[in-house]
Amino acid sequence: MSSSLDSPWGAYGVDWVEHWTKLVSTNDMVNSETGVMDPRHMFGMTGQDVFRWPALAHGTQRQLLGFFVTQLELPGIPMIIYGEEQTSYILDNTADDYVFGRTPMASQRAWQLHGCYNLSQTVYVDIPFNSSGYGCYDDSVSLDHRDPSHPMRNVLKRMYELRRQFPTLNDGYNLLTLSSRTYNIYLPGSGGIPSPHGIWSVYRGRTEGVQDLAGIGQGNQGVWMLYHNENKTVDYRFDCASEDRSEALVSAFSANTVVKNLFYPYEELTLEASTFKFGIEGSTELNGCLSGLTMVPWDYKAFVPLSAWMTPAPTITRVVPGHDARLHSSVAYNDQETVSIQIRFSSEMDCDSIADNMVIASSSVPNQDAQLNRSSVSCMLADADPPKHIGEIATAFIFNADLINVFNGIHTYTVNNATTKDGLLYTNAFDRFMFRIGQSNNPMVFPLSSNYTKSLLFKNESTDSLYISPKAAGADKFRYSTNWGSSFSQWSDFTSKDIPLEKQDWTGTKAQEWDGEHVVVHYWSSKAGSSEHVQHADLNRGDLPPRRWPHAFVEGSWNQWGYDNGLPNAMMQAANGTWEFDLVAEWPTEFVVNVWGMNPDGYPDKTMAFGD
């Protein structure tokens, strides 16, 4: 990474052992409450005020390598920001030196609509933005982002499990570079600060004579870490007989030890002998060595002796349909149907324990929960879902079942602490998944295709009253506005019956008035955890294009931001629905699109003004 942020912190380099050595020798590590050494520095990969790593080319793998360093290698407090466990990548900015990513966890449409980020920025030099430029085409951006089976979340879960299994990864203060082979490159914009590339061999353990972690997990067992930051696969070759630590890949454990990787695919290696004796945990034997190792781009591994390796707890690797999947109903709005599901696990599971501990809940038209058809349950071993990234966990077992009594709406099923077949390990989690099923005009299921509908709003000619006839199965509450969002009704319990509307008061200028009757309806769902389900409708608009604004005005430097009302600035809606305005001004010019224009007080309205 090359940026103006390299100085001064970038001058410390990327040798994390040296970083830790400087910190522990210069910072006060004593907890003022307990009087003991307690490193509480927080280490993470990003924050709310900077870009998202998955927005970059190969960004997810870069981020995983960073997590390996921040969550496991460095003593202190591991830190992540929401969405990192779901590989959030959509970007926005409020200035060219302030790029950030804050996609909500709940389902919504806004961040996808502006998800093709192609604006300039000045902080990062030649930053390889990639997926962030195409997010508007990715419908998953608008889904719920609380997926318990997400691959990134599973890797992070494994890292935190390792901190429990091996307390040296949680509390060990001893960080030691065993060997490394690196070279420097110099990136533009880094002010001459080198960026080392290569492979590092590091040991993390307790500080002997000071710390005793016995009685917790694997006690004082240290961990040998290997990682490299190359963007290509490297077939490393080493000379274990060399006395140069850049020529030998030195291990923390003694020669002839069989070591096993703590991350999938959990490979085992037998160590050769090196010429070094580090004396770790009082050992008098030669440290082990590897004469060859192939590392894929941004690879990382963590080894312990085979005798100390602990079986990972099972986790859900995937569900089918996917979390918050949107399914087209095959039956009428008020009818029920069957939906087949799969729950995939990383280990062989007890099939009955999954079925017995599944909780199903539904928000649907008749307010009935879907049910598990026990006679449809079947389970099988599988070798599926090959990992796309380092440390990602593959599928080893599949649970199949049918859900019956599925009405249009939102349905969740929760797997409560499922058990492995041998009864020794548990998921130790309440994993909740969701899917939605309905007609194409249901805004709870298909918010894009149902954002505007001609069938929602109608008038009772005998009473001259306005009604809506919502088909939003899955909603728990709704509210509406008859004045384009200037005010709203109170939230009310949702019903699919015809609902009478009470027109809301509105005042404004002549230019702010609009023709015809329009309604905006918001729907809220407790299961979706979101009120970002919006539906517009007009009364008797005929063949005119759908409208989601009453009007729009262009304001900029060319018309004193609306104060020069002698210049016409009203946009016109074309037959295809787009809003258009012909502007002739000095280039470059600045402007915003203001839905309400100038208010009666003579100032520009601030409730709906759009522009960068």
Side-chain angles (χ1 to χ4, degrees), residues 201-224:
S201 173
V202 174
Y203 170 76
R204 185 174 180 191
R206 65 166 179 154
T207 300
E208 297 171 47
V210 176
Q211 291 183 286
D212 185 4
L213 304 174
I216 308 172
Q218 291 297 77
N220 294 319
Q221 176 63 58
V223 177
W224 175 35

Side-chain angles (χ1 to χ4, degrees), residues 340-420:
S340 297
I341 64 169
Q342 285 187 353
I343 308 174
R344 304 186 178 189
F345 293 84
S346 61
S347 305
E348 185 175 6
M349 306 298 292
D350 182 328
C351 199
D352 288 336
S353 80
I354 301 170
D356 292 341
N357 292 285
M358 183 182 295
V359 177
I360 302 170
S362 304
S363 290
S364 59
V365 178
N367 199 26
Q368 295 182 21
D369 290 334
Q371 299 171 354
L372 176 66
N373 181 358
R374 290 299 295 256
S375 65
S376 70
V377 171
S378 66
C379 293
M380 56 184 281
L381 292 173
D383 183 8
D385 304 317
K388 299 178 181 178
H389 301 289
I390 306 303
E392 185 179 329
I393 304 166
T395 292
F397 181 86
I398 299 178
F399 171 91
N400 298 280
D402 289 339
L403 300 183
I404 58 175
N405 198 45
V406 177
F407 287 88
N408 281 204
I410 301 178
H411 305 271
T412 66
Y413 57 93
T414 304
V415 181
N416 294 341
N417 200 22
T419 309
T420 55

